[in-house]
Amino acid sequence: MLLLVQLNGSREMTTTISSREFNQDAAGAKRAALDGPVFITDRGRPAHVLLSIDDYRRLSGEQRSLVDLLAMADDVEFTIPSSRELAQPAELD
């Protein structure tokens, strides 16, 4: 079953499949998740949701790591402090 829903002003395709269909065509479910959430049902009731990683990160508010930021195609500007700025005298008592 395919539904077209509007979330946050953008139109996304929503797919609903049974657990059996998911087990038989996991690759198809992953492809469908690129267009929107895929609801997986057990005995006709929604039990799981398959999302693309981008949708998951957007919904969870996950912060990206420095590695993710550096891997992005866009330029990222940041300043690395010198080690002298971080150094503090040791307190020996």
Side-chain angles (χ1 to χ4, degrees), residues 31-63:
R31 281 191 301 274
L34 296 175
D35 295 326
V38 176
F39 292 90
I40 303 167
T41 61
D42 283 330
R43 297 183 178 92
R45 304 177 103 181
H48 306 281
V49 179
L50 180 64
L51 299 171
S52 69
I53 191 65
D54 291 333
D55 286 344
Y56 170 78
R57 286 180 175 151
R58 181 176 47 83
L59 290 172
S60 69
E62 179 181 304
Q63 297 294 320

Side-chain angles (χ1 to χ4, degrees), residues 14-83:
T14 300
T15 306
T16 301
I17 61 173
S18 69
S19 292
R20 178 176 289 198
E21 291 170 316
F22 176 76
N23 288 333
Q24 292 174 347
D25 189 15
K30 290 192 287 187
R31 281 191 301 274
L34 296 175
D35 295 326
V38 176
F39 292 90
I40 303 167
T41 61
D42 283 330
R43 297 183 178 92
R45 304 177 103 181
H48 306 281
V49 179
L50 180 64
L51 299 171
S52 69
I53 191 65
D54 291 333
D55 286 344
Y56 170 78
R57 286 180 175 151
R58 181 176 47 83
L59 290 172
S60 69
E62 179 181 304
Q63 297 294 320
R64 292 189 174 182
S65 71
L66 180 59
V67 173
D68 291 335
L69 293 173
L70 292 173
M72 292 172 49
D74 298 333
D75 291 335
V76 177
E77 292 185 29
F78 64 97
T79 304
I80 300 174
S82 69
S83 60

Side-chain angles (χ1 to χ4, degrees), residues 79-92:
T79 304
I80 300 174
S82 69
S83 60
R84 290 186 191 104
E85 292 175 17
L86 299 176
Q88 298 178 1
E91 294 182 23
L92 303 173

